[in-house]
Amino acid sequence: MSAKQARILIFGAGVIGSMYAMKLIEAGFDVTLFAHSKRFKSLSENGLQYKEKGSVKSIQVKVIDTLENDDIYDFIFVTVRYDRSESALLALKDNQSKHIVTMTSNSIGFSSWLDIVGDRLLPAFPGFGGQMKDGVLHARFLPKIIAATAFGEVNGEVTERIEKLAKLFKTAKLPYVIKKDMQAYLITHSVSDIAMLSVLHSEDKITDKKTVRTRKTARQITVTLKAYLRAIQKAGVSIDPPMLKMVLKFFPNLLLDLFFMTWLRTKMVRDMMLPDYANRANNEIVQLSHDLMKFLSQKDIKSVAHSI
């Protein structure tokens, strides 16, 4: 079977799922999107709409809203938020497809996911982002050196299916990296997300733009990030990417404050503060934070609240 003969189901038609669908369809793959309600209707009637160079374009995509157990795909990409990951895997539990690629954060490890789908699980993390506005995808592509799809087996082995997935991404000209310790990578990424995004939503409401731009907010991110990085390191997690290990060793708080003050003034952060985006993101951050605390507790790491 050549790479382009692979059948791919993307379970979740939000930003990440739509971006992978678009890129894989453009590369000539047999791609199906699983979507619900309004998104299913929009994709069925209008195709996958996306903004490019100031204009809205559309690409046709196969879309389903029901998955039969014997509807088998070579790879199923689960592209939902972390707070919805378990329910998505439960929906796929009885489907007979052999490889389920979870493209989402994870701050506690894979035990509960493995209990649901077993060794079909292949953890991954997406290599780009963006947002959806009125059903139109606004993609955000970062430089390849910064963002690439990360994936790897739970046990770190480079298996035949890892090689097949790598070939699939290479054919689609999508940058990727194979990780030997996906749990460490995902927990580290979760820590940075918790530190950076939790400041955008406090006391059950979106933080106002003036407060977000302050040095105090930047310092909160700096202190939180370092406290959690120290905690997971103490718990035996190998910090990945290594740049965040350097943050602990070599980056003074003042330098990080200046970096985060700059980041908090970007258009990307302004978009993150739009109500729909902010509320959905907050649900994910709350779940990530809860599970990170559970993970640290399991490792006998005391509360890091006093360090923040």
Side-chain angles (χ1 to χ4, degrees):
M1 180 187 69
S2 70
K4 285 194 177 182
Q5 288 177 320
R7 292 190 78 215
I8 302 165
L9 174 67
I10 299 180
F11 194 92
V15 171
I16 301 301
S18 296
M19 291 180 75
Y20 277 102
M22 180 177 70
K23 287 297 184 181
L24 293 169
I25 291 169
E26 288 177 345
F29 287 96
D30 181 358
V31 178
T32 301
L33 261 172
F34 182 94
H36 283 305
S37 56
K38 291 181 180 179
R39 185 63 176 150
F40 173 81
K41 186 173 185 293
S42 174
L43 289 166
S44 300
E45 295 178 354
N46 307 313
L48 200 167
Q49 294 180 299
Y50 60 98
K51 192 77 171 286
E52 183 177 270
K53 296 180 180 179
S55 62
V56 176
K57 298 183 179 181
S58 177
I59 186 170
Q60 290 303 307
V61 58
K62 290 188 286 186
V63 58
I64 60 174
D65 61 357
T66 302
L67 178 64
E68 302 297 334
N69 292 339
D70 59 355
D71 187 8
I72 301 174
Y73 296 82
D74 294 288
F75 288 100
I76 296 180
F77 292 175
V78 180
T79 56
V80 300
R81 298 193 317 266
Y82 178 65
D83 52 305
R84 294 183 175 180
S85 58
E86 197 160 304
S87 61
L89 292 177
L90 285 168
L92 295 170
K93 182 177 180 180
D94 295 324
N95 181 270
Q96 297 171 34
S97 301
K98 293 182 178 180
H99 309 306
I100 298 177
V101 184
T102 48
M103 291 199 166
T104 186
S105 295
N106 184 308
S107 58
I108 195 170
F110 307 123
S111 294
S112 64
W113 292 358
L114 288 167
D115 286 344
I116 299 171
V117 297
D119 60 9
R120 294 183 293 163
L121 178 69
L122 183 55
F125 193 80
F128 33 55
Q131 65 184 126
M132 199 76 68
K133 295 180 180 178
D134 299 322
V136 177
L137 173 66
H138 292 247
R140 186 182 300 118
F141 298 102
L142 295 173
K144 293 180 181 180
I145 194 170
I146 296 176
T149 303
F151 57 89
E153 295 285 2
V154 172
N155 62 10
E157 294 181 3
V158 179
T159 58
E160 182 180 353
R161 67 175 180 174
I162 286 289
E163 292 174 346
K164 286 181 178 178
L165 189 57
K167 186 177 180 180
L168 185 152
F169 279 103
K170 186 175 182 179
T171 302
K173 297 181 179 179
L174 288 168
Y176 67 89
V177 58
I178 298 172
K179 293 287 182 179
K180 290 186 177 181
D181 191 345
M182 276 303 297
Q183 177 169 309
Y185 180 81
L186 291 174
I187 289 176
T188 305
H189 197 282
S190 296
V191 162
S192 63
D193 274 356
I194 291 166
M196 295 172 71
L197 301 182
S198 59
V199 299
L200 302 181
H201 207 290
S202 62
E203 298 178 355
D204 295 322
K205 64 181 180 181
I206 302 168
T207 307
D208 66 89
K209 293 180 181 179
K210 184 177 180 180
T211 300
V212 162
R213 290 170 173 262
T214 62
R215 168 76 178 277
K216 182 179 179 181
T217 301
R219 173 52 62 94
Q220 184 181 340
I221 297 175
T222 295
V223 173
T224 302
L225 178 61
K226 285 190 170 184
Y228 281 131
L229 286 174
R230 291 190 189 99
I232 63 172
Q233 195 172 50
K234 190 175 179 181
V237 174
S238 178
I239 294 175
D240 184 17
M243 174 61 72
L244 288 176
K245 189 181 295 185
M246 293 176 63
V247 163
L248 280 181
K249 287 187 175 181
F250 306 114
F251 285 48
N253 286 357
L254 177 60
L255 182 61
L256 285 175
D257 290 350
L258 292 174
F259 171 81
F260 288 126
M261 285 179 72
T262 301
W263 176 72
L264 289 165
R265 286 166 168 76
T266 61
K267 183 180 184 299
M268 180 173 70
V269 171
R270 290 198 300 272
D271 288 344
M272 288 177 179
M273 295 173 68
L274 295 172
D276 285 348
Y277 188 105
N279 289 324
R280 290 195 300 269
N282 183 60
N283 292 337
E284 181 172 39
I285 292 301
V286 168
Q287 188 65 52
L288 284 170
S289 299
H290 175 272
D291 286 352
L292 179 64
M293 293 301 99
K294 187 175 179 180
F295 170 78
L296 292 174
S297 176
Q298 290 169 351
K299 299 294 182 177
D300 277 338
I301 305 301
K302 304 301 181 184
S303 173
V304 294
H306 66 279
S307 302
I308 299 174

